[in-house]
């Protein structure tokens, strides 16, 4: 029975993985196996000396302390040294050493001491205060960038959120939104309308600066995760009615407005996401095939552009900026938080990501060409911010201490503001040449 219990414990280490449901029936294997070892070990079975020799007993004595130490150290090792595959194992071994030290110099002295009454209470209070003090120190240190100028400079650029998230992220269509979505209300020129998802939202700061320079109000109709296309959009087996309300309501309202500028921008990542489906008509089944989705997306975008240009609006569709590792991405990409703490403190500029511009062009050229054809054929124009974001043949999340991206695909507030002049030129040109 003793050996059977040991075998069950060893088997638990193999069959229980991250994919195992916990709590669940699989927990019975290590629990019952351990119970069997405890129940039969006292009968002095053959081979029990393997587990009762001095080194094993010492390891057993330290096992609970090891249990308390190992997980925090492993978790921190992954966060601090994400690129070192052996860091978790090293942390586990190091935690055993700490367990042995705290067992000998902290736990056992307290355990076998004669303290009682108020002394025990103050000891508990002191322990809690120590833990809270360390936690507060870590939180404060992280929030102030560990007093490192490079980290603080990065945080000042990547932490600010875009204005649209706080004020204009809603299914409510243009025409029904409140004054909080009218940026530069003092402008008395022809309005500029911004619609689309988070890609459009990240252009907001630059567009409102352009509107201020041109003396034109900027009306924002953005809604996160909602492509501005004249199609039915399904995600995770559910038609996104809120997105449809935003797009169709905004299109209908814009069709009734005097001619002006409409800026549209949406990520193209929907095309690679298996959980997203499109159909041109609500009654048609949605397709999840990437090639078919692309065809529908382009036609639906063209339809939206045509509805606007047919009523005299000048439509500019902004392409998504270069992203890391891919512009057409479905998986999680680069984030500033992925940077190892030690790397950030030594050289924060190295925490970013970069790609050769020729690689970005090669990745997007075919789709962007089809994208442009669909827009231009329906009277609109296309603007690619890549030329403003990439430098000397390199596209990067940051150039030294200048951070252009908040994450893998969204530009920072500061980068958006730097697009103001290109947007001024773009909107001035559209006003003088559009009809």
């Amino acid at each position: 029975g003793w050996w059977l219990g040991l075998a069950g414990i060893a088997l638990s280490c193999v069959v229980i993985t991250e994919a195992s449901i916990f709590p669940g029936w699989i927990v019975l294997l290590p629990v019952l196996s351990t119970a069997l070892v405890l129940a039969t070990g006292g009968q002095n079975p053959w081979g029990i000396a393997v587990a009762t020799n001095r080194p094993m007993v010492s390891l057993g004595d330290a096992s609970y302390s090891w249990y308390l130490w190992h997980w925090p150290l492993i978790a921190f090792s992954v966060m601090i040294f994400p690129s070192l595959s052996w860091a978790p194992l090293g942390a586990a071994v190091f935690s055993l050493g700490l367990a042995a030290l705290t067992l000998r110099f902290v736990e056992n002295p307290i355990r076998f001491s004669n303290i009682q009454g108020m002394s025990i209470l103050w000891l508990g209070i002191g322990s809690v205060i120590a833990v809270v003090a360390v936690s507060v120190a870590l939180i404060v240190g992280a929030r102030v960038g560990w007093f490192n100028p490079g980290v603080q400079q990065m945080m000042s650029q990547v932490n600010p959120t875009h204005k649209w998230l706080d004020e204009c992220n809603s299914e409510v269509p243009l025409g029904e939104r409140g004054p909080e979505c009218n940026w530069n209300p003092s402008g008395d020129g022809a309005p500029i309308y911004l619609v689309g998802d988070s890609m459009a939202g990240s252009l907001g700061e630059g567009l409102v600066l352009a509107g201020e320079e041109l003396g034109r109000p900027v009306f924002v109709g953005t809604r996160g995760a909602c492509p501005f296309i004249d199609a039915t959009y399904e995600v995770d087996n559910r038609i996104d009615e809120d997105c449809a309300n935003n797009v169709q309501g905004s299109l209908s309202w814009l069709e009734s407005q005097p001619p002006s500028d409409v800026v549209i921008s949406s990520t193209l990542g929907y095309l690679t996401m298996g959980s997203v489906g499109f159909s041109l008509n609500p009654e048609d089944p949605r397709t999840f095939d990437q090639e078919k989705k692309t065809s529908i997306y382009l036609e639906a975008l063209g339809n939206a552009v045509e509805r606007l240009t047919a009523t005299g609006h000048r439509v500019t569709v902004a392409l998504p900026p270069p992203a890391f590792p891919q512009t057409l991405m479905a998986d999680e990409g680069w984030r500033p938080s992925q940077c190892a703490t030690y790397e950030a403190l030594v050289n924060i500029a190295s925490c970013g990501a970069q790609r050769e511009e020729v690689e970005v062009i090669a990745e997007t050229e075919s789709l962007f060409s089809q994208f442009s054809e669909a827009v231009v054929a329906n009277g609109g124009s296309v603007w690619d911010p890549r030329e403003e974001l990439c430098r000397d043949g390199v596209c990067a999340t940051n150039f030294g201490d200048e951070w252009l991206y908040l994450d893998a695909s969204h530009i920072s507030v500061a980068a958006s503001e730097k697009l103001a002049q290109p947007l001024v030129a773009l909107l001035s040109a559209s006003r003088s040449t559009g009809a």
Side-chain angles (χ1 to χ4, degrees):
W2 185 76
W3 281 103
L4 183 61
L6 286 182
I9 293 174
L11 183 62
S12 301
C13 298
V14 178
V15 301
I16 297 179
T17 67
E18 293 180 351
S20 302
I21 297 176
F22 186 89
W25 68 268
I26 195 67
V27 176
L28 291 175
L29 180 58
V31 171
L32 295 179
S33 297
T34 302
L36 187 59
V37 168
L38 295 174
T40 58
Q43 301 171 10
N44 196 30
W46 175 82
I48 196 172
V50 173
T52 56
N53 58 67
R54 188 175 184 84
M56 292 298 290
V57 170
S58 298
L59 182 63
D61 289 340
S63 62
Y64 187 71
S65 303
W66 194 11
Y67 159 76
L68 294 176
W69 274 112
H70 87 288
W71 188 244
L73 265 66
I74 289 175
F76 277 113
S77 74
V78 172
M79 290 185 283
I80 297 174
F81 307 104
S83 60
L84 301 180
S85 60
W86 51 267
L89 178 60
V93 173
F94 182 66
S95 64
L96 176 58
L98 286 177
L101 290 174
T102 53
L103 176 66
R104 179 173 179 178
F105 296 108
V106 180
E107 295 176 47
N108 281 343
I110 295 175
R111 177 185 176 192
F112 296 112
S113 69
N114 294 320
I115 61 172
Q116 53 186 331
M118 290 300 296
S119 296
I120 295 177
L121 177 62
W122 284 114
L123 179 63
I125 293 175
S127 300
V128 172
I129 291 175
V131 171
V132 172
V134 172
S135 301
V136 170
L138 289 172
I139 292 172
V140 172
R143 288 185 175 179
V144 299
W146 305 110
F147 303 98
N148 181 286
V151 176
Q152 291 174 335
Q153 189 170 355
M154 182 198 74
M155 292 172 62
S156 69
Q157 296 176 67
V158 303
N159 282 352
T161 58
H162 286 287
K163 188 178 180 181
W164 75 278
L165 272 173
D166 296 327
E167 300 181 9
C168 301
N169 180 24
S170 170
E171 71 277 7
V172 176
L174 279 169
E176 298 179 24
R177 297 198 172 197
E180 70 279 0
C181 293
N182 179 2
W183 299 352
N184 188 35
S186 62
D188 56 5
I192 301 169
Y193 302 105
L194 176 65
V195 292
D197 60 13
S198 57
M199 287 291 116
S202 64
L203 296 175
E205 285 76 14
L207 198 61
V208 73
L209 289 177
E212 290 173 355
E213 183 167 336
L214 295 170
R216 303 171 61 185
V218 177
F219 291 88
V220 181
T222 46
R223 194 262 190 180
C226 178
F228 198 83
I229 56 176
D230 191 4
T232 300
Y233 168 49
E234 177 181 324
V235 59
D236 294 329
N237 300 314
R238 181 182 64 85
I239 294 178
D240 193 334
E241 299 290 354
D242 289 342
C243 180
N245 180 54
N246 173 272
V247 174
Q248 296 302 326
S250 295
L251 281 172
S252 297
W253 184 79
L254 285 169
E255 287 175 312
S256 68
Q257 299 304 300
S260 191
D261 280 291
V262 180
V263 178
I264 301 173
S265 187
S266 303
T267 180
L268 297 179
Y270 306 108
L271 303 180
T272 62
M273 296 175 66
S275 60
V276 171
F278 293 120
S279 66
L280 285 174
N281 302 301
E283 60 272 15
D284 295 337
R286 260 61 62 194
T287 180
F288 296 85
D289 176 78
Q290 183 172 341
E291 185 175 345
K292 293 178 180 178
K293 280 199 301 184
T294 300
S295 177
I296 291 175
Y297 187 102
L298 294 174
E299 184 174 351
L301 175 63
N303 291 344
V305 171
E306 193 277 332
R307 286 179 60 177
L308 296 172
T309 57
T311 54
H313 291 295
R314 288 154 293 275
V315 179
T316 300
V317 179
L319 294 169
F324 308 87
Q326 291 184 321
T327 304
L328 308 178
M329 57 195 308
D331 299 321
E332 190 81 7
W334 172 88
R335 289 183 181 276
S337 58
Q338 294 175 342
C339 183
T341 302
Y342 78 94
E343 184 182 0
L345 295 175
V346 172
N347 181 17
I348 186 64
S350 66
C351 289
Q354 66 178 37
R355 303 171 64 192
E356 294 295 323
E357 189 171 8
V358 292
E359 176 190 336
V360 175
I361 294 172
E363 176 207 352
T364 58
E365 186 173 24
S366 177
L367 179 59
F368 282 9
S369 176
Q370 299 175 59
F371 192 94
S372 298
E373 289 177 7
V375 173
V376 173
N378 288 282
S381 61
V382 173
W383 176 60
D384 190 349
R386 172 179 54 81
E387 296 180 1
E388 307 297 334
L389 298 172
C390 300
R391 303 175 186 174
D392 300 323
V394 175
C395 302
T397 58
N398 63 296
F399 291 97
D401 290 333
E402 180 187 3
W403 292 84
L404 303 180
Y405 281 75
L406 299 178
D407 55 33
S409 55
H410 296 90
I411 61 174
S412 66
V413 171
S416 179
E417 291 173 344
K418 290 181 179 180
L419 293 177
Q421 287 307 309
L423 287 168
V424 167
L426 184 74
L427 292 167
S428 298
S430 68
R431 289 294 298 169
S432 61
T433 60

